[in-house]
Amino acid sequence: MSDLKITLRRGLAGKRKDQIEVAASLGLCKANQTKIHPNNAATQGKIKKISHLVTVEEV
């Protein structure tokens, strides 16, 4: 399994509470912030929830 590099491309101001919580669970709270997470089902589900706010690269 590889890792995923997840970058928050848009700010969270004005977004729904559940989207803000998902971003926080990924460790993303500011625009252009990047974190690396394992590529598993839980991470994929979180990415799907906020796919319009993030970009994902395989590391």
Side-chain angles (χ1 to χ4, degrees):
M1 293 268 258
S2 61
D3 288 337
L4 297 174
K5 182 178 174 183
I6 306 168
T7 303
L8 185 64
R9 286 295 171 197
R10 304 193 57 184
L12 297 172
K15 302 300 183 256
R16 293 191 329 235
K17 184 178 178 184
D18 61 334
Q19 293 172 341
I20 294 170
E21 290 172 354
V22 169
S25 72
L26 290 170
L28 304 170
C29 56
K30 293 181 176 181
N32 297 317
Q33 192 173 19
T34 301
K35 297 288 181 175
I36 296 178
H37 289 278
N39 187 3
N40 58 30
T43 305
Q44 291 291 336
K46 292 176 185 180
I47 291 170
K48 188 174 181 181
K49 185 83 170 178
I50 58 170
S51 63
H52 60 289
L53 301 175
V54 298
T55 57
V56 181
E57 299 173 30
E58 198 164 333
V59 179

